[in-house]
Amino acid sequence: MNLSLHGIVGREGFERTIDFDLQPGEVLAITGANGSGKSTIVHTIAGLVPLIDGVLSCNGTTWDAPKQREWVEPEDRSCAVVFQDVRLFPHMNVIANVSYGLHARGTKKRDAHGLATEVLSQVGLADFGHRKTTELSGGERQRVALARALVLKPQVLLLDEPFAAVDAESRHGLRALLGEVMRSFGGSTILVSHDMADVESLASARLAL
């Protein structure tokens, strides 16, 4: 699934011109100082921030083109985001968190839980389904967030500083896990990171801001 962004992203007086074409299976690492626009790019692709000018498209479908007045709502984009702060629902257990997006799309509870269980196994949390998210370590919560993204089978996976909030030991394990996931993921991936070890081990291309 080709992901293409040619245009100007920005918010609150900040603007930056971005140009890239990402092929299926490729991982684009976006690096740069704080305030350089890394997260703004992620939010623009996800539909949380509108494109100022240009065209954003995925697999031949235009997601955002201001001049042409084309816009696809965030929930209608085949796109999933893993944020630095994970954003899990504290009142739900692990399997409910992972299956939440499937429920929102109309998947029956039994089917959604079955798919969620499969993905939890993929991220090394096969026996964690009924645990509360407040009982998990930072690394475990990040794995749940990754599972919640993968279960939707997105065309685009957006990883916004996914390891920043975990300790060094957990980061090493997560990096290895993500490498395995990326090798089997058929879509396009954007990885925002300050850590060059992440870039060197996971990315196939780099955009430095």
Side-chain angles (χ1 to χ4, degrees):
M1 291 69 177
N2 173 272
L3 177 67
S4 175
L5 173 55
H6 300 281
I8 301 174
V9 303
R11 64 169 94 192
E12 299 174 359
F14 169 83
E15 294 185 2
R16 181 175 287 276
T17 299
I18 302 296
D19 290 286
F20 67 76
D21 291 287
L22 195 57
Q23 300 301 316
E26 287 189 325
V27 180
L28 175 66
I30 301 177
T31 62
N34 289 336
S36 61
K38 301 185 301 298
S39 292
T40 300
I41 296 172
V42 169
H43 293 170
T44 300
I45 296 170
L48 305 178
V49 174
L51 193 62
I52 294 175
D53 192 19
V55 177
L56 166 66
S57 64
C58 179
N59 202 26
T61 299
T62 299
W63 283 358
D64 191 355
K67 287 185 178 178
Q68 289 76 32
R69 296 184 179 180
E70 294 187 62
W71 170 261
V72 173
E73 294 292 339
E75 60 270 22
D76 295 325
R77 302 184 186 193
S78 183
C79 176
V81 189
V82 177
F83 294 101
Q84 177 180 337
D85 56 0
V86 300
R87 304 187 185 186
L88 300 179
F89 299 113
H91 63 288
M92 295 182 181
N93 64 16
V94 167
I95 199 164
N97 266 277
V98 175
S99 60
Y100 178 83
L102 294 172
H103 288 310
R105 294 183 177 185
T107 305
K108 293 181 179 179
K109 182 177 180 179
R110 181 175 179 179
D111 294 336
H113 281 199
L115 292 169
T117 299
E118 291 178 11
V119 179
L120 282 170
S121 180
Q122 184 181 356
V123 299
L125 298 178
D127 299 323
F128 283 63
H130 295 291
R131 291 197 188 185
K132 296 180 180 179
T133 58
T134 53
E135 299 173 346
L136 306 180
S137 68
E140 289 165 349
R141 286 195 294 271
Q142 199 61 269
R143 288 173 185 250
V144 174
L146 178 60
R148 185 173 61 181
L150 293 173
V151 78
L152 299 175
K153 300 187 183 303
Q155 294 178 351
V156 177
L157 182 62
L158 304 172
L159 307 170
D160 192 0
E161 296 282 3
F163 309 143
V166 301
D167 57 48
E169 183 177 354
S170 297
R171 186 176 303 171
H172 178 76
L174 281 167
R175 188 183 295 133
L177 168 66
L178 194 55
E180 295 177 5
V181 169
M182 292 301 94
R183 283 190 286 274
S184 60
F185 181 61
S188 302
T189 303
I190 300 286
L191 169 67
V192 172
S193 180
H194 283 102
D195 193 332
M196 290 309 299
D198 297 340
V199 176
E200 292 171 0
S201 64
L202 298 171
S204 52
R206 180 187 174 195
L207 174 63
L209 302 181

